[in-house]
Amino acid sequence: MTDTSPLTLDHIRAAAETLLGIADATPLVPSPYLGSRFGHPFWLKLENMQPIGAFKLRGALNAVANLPVGTRGVTCCSTGNHGRGVAYAAAEKGIRAVVCMSELVPQAKVDGIRALGAEVRIVGRSQDDAFAESRRLVEQEGLAEISPFDDPFVIAGQGTIGLEILESRAEIETLLVPLSGGGLAAGVALAAKALKPSVRVIGISMDRGAAMYESLRAGHPVEVEEYASLADSLGGGIGIDNRLSYAMCRDLLDDVVLVTEEQIYRAMQTLYYEDRIVAEGGCVVGIAALQAGKLELTGPTATIITGRNLDMSVFTRIVTGQDVVLGDTTIKGMPYGA
Ligand SMILES: *Cc1c(COP(=O)(O)O)cnc(C)c1O
């Protein structure tokens, strides 16, 4: 392994054992349409089928399973899917979970987390405020904090996706991985390259507020401004004091590509009409990059459909080709195929 990463394939194999029977192996299905369109067999790893509707359950379960004995409860800050994963994992283990979120988090995501039995703290108007509250809970109430991406057990848990893909389809040459804080990409790249060193792993983010992309360019973690995006689960920073995911992405990713909101909008339509899959904007960024001609494939390829926890009224507007208002910008409606 690289000297910046204390993680090895063994940690990912151990995580796979821990997840057995709870975050079951998800289907890896072919997309005949995308395969013929891009000229190489194309596979979709359906993490939208996980019990919480997103892959984040893997990392959360592995982190909770590895807490020190006697831990009274866990806390995290989240914009949605990580909070859901932590709430589910804590309920499985019968311990307390407190999820800290800002006022900006949509009510549907808040309700989903409460429904899993977690306490929800709504604090301030940014991820930073939510993070400060979860830090306070660590110090004053002795809860253990679980980072959404910068935690070795979380990264190992997400890495089990890379294991599953390469173990069932050894011929895959390229993995397209949605990229935000980089826990997913780091774990998947570590696992995939351990099994098959020649595999290419490419991270894809939206072009506004891409924290990992900007940090890799700067050569160290940087802060970015947050923008509303169809790929909302790819928003947020990587942490100025990032310990693991930044260095792992720097050392393990072959490339990072950015896509626009219009390209994400079109790719959501493609995945829906051609493969009949309802998925968050954050999942289709790899397909968006291919459709936009920003990536060349060399052989069999897989992408990870990371989650399905989206606002259905926005999704309905997209698949019917209507305008979508995002913060201060409007994405002009486009019928599918136009
Ligand atoms: C968290 C998340 C990602 C990105 O994962 P990182 O580990 O933060 O890079 C991608 N898609 C969905 C749906 C997510 O919830």
Side-chain angles (χ1 to χ4, degrees):
M1 272 317 99
T2 63
D3 52 2
T4 49
S5 169
L7 283 170
T8 67
L9 183 61
D10 287 344
H11 296 100
I12 297 175
R13 290 208 186 278
E17 289 282 314
T18 301
L19 303 187
L20 270 183
I22 316 173
D24 280 316
T26 50
L28 180 67
V29 299
S31 170
Y33 172 82
L34 294 171
S36 78
R37 178 156 174 193
F38 301 126
H40 297 279
F42 199 91
W43 302 85
L44 306 169
K45 179 66 170 161
L46 300 185
E47 288 298 301
N48 53 316
M49 311 275 282
Q50 289 288 2
I52 63 153
F55 76 89
K56 289 240 172 45
L57 183 57
R58 294 178 186 255
L61 280 169
N62 195 42
V64 166
N66 285 285
L67 289 170
V69 182
T71 302
R72 292 150 64 188
V74 290
T75 182
C76 67
C77 63
S78 170
T79 55
N81 286 335
H82 178 61
R84 241 183 238 237
V86 167
Y88 188 103
E92 277 275 319
K93 184 146 175 153
I95 60 172
R96 181 178 172 213
V98 186
V99 179
C100 303
M101 293 180 285
S102 85
E103 287 164 21
L104 300 178
V105 173
Q107 191 60 36
K109 286 207 156 144
V110 175
D111 294 343
I113 290 166
R114 265 200 194 109
L116 288 167
E119 293 165 47
V120 171
R121 298 273 166 92
I122 306 291
V123 230
R125 294 194 56 80
S126 74
Q127 270 293 93
D128 287 347
D129 295 334
F131 183 63
E133 175 66 6
S134 86
R135 269 291 144 87
R136 194 191 65 75
L137 289 165
V138 170
E139 275 153 32
Q140 296 182 4
E141 300 192 25
L143 300 183
E145 192 189 356
I146 302 178
S147 161
F149 51 82
D150 202 23
D151 174 296
F153 294 110
V154 169
I155 295 173
Q158 324 303 32
T160 59
I161 298 170
L163 266 192
E164 287 174 19
I165 294 174
L166 267 292
E167 279 177 348
S168 59
R169 291 282 157 194
E171 72 269 31
I172 284 172
E173 291 180 10
T174 305
L175 291 172
L176 307 180
V177 185
L179 176 65
S180 177
L184 175 65
V188 165
L190 178 62
K193 291 189 175 198
L195 295 186
K196 180 173 177 173
S198 67
V199 86
R200 276 198 311 160
V201 182
I202 298 168
I204 308 104
S205 303
M206 66 286 166
D207 63 355
R208 297 197 305 171
M212 186 60 80
Y213 174 86
E214 299 298 345
S215 298
L216 293 171
R217 261 181 40 144
H220 54 87
V222 296
E223 283 179 31
V224 293
E225 203 172 319
E226 256 188 74
Y227 296 92
S229 170
L230 289 178
D232 54 282
S233 54
L234 303 186
I238 68 164
I240 285 297
D241 55 355
N242 188 293
R243 295 178 301 148
L244 281 174
S245 66
Y246 167 76
M248 288 181 73
C249 286
R250 180 193 63 203
D251 295 347
L252 294 168
L253 294 185
D254 294 277
D255 202 359
V256 177
V257 174
L258 303 183
V259 292
T260 68
E261 297 299 321
E262 282 75 17
Q263 289 160 356
I264 295 170
Y265 180 110
R266 286 184 183 276
M268 289 174 81
Q269 290 182 326
T270 302
L271 192 65
Y272 178 73
Y273 284 106
E274 304 299 343
D275 290 290
R276 311 294 202 270
I277 293 173
V278 176
E280 296 182 36
C283 309
V284 299
V285 288
I287 297 167
L290 284 168
Q291 291 193 146
K294 291 178 171 172
L295 274 178
E296 285 292 327
L297 297 186
T298 54
T301 299
T303 194
I304 304 166
I305 306 301
T306 45
R308 58 150 195 253
N309 296 322
L310 41 53
D311 179 335
M312 284 308 284
S313 66
V314 174
F315 187 74
T316 306
R317 294 188 70 80
I318 293 171
V319 297
T320 53
Q322 298 172 68
D323 292 358
V324 173
V325 178
L326 272 181
D328 57 0
T329 54
T330 298
I331 306 173
K332 197 88 192 74
M334 298 170 266
Y336 179 58

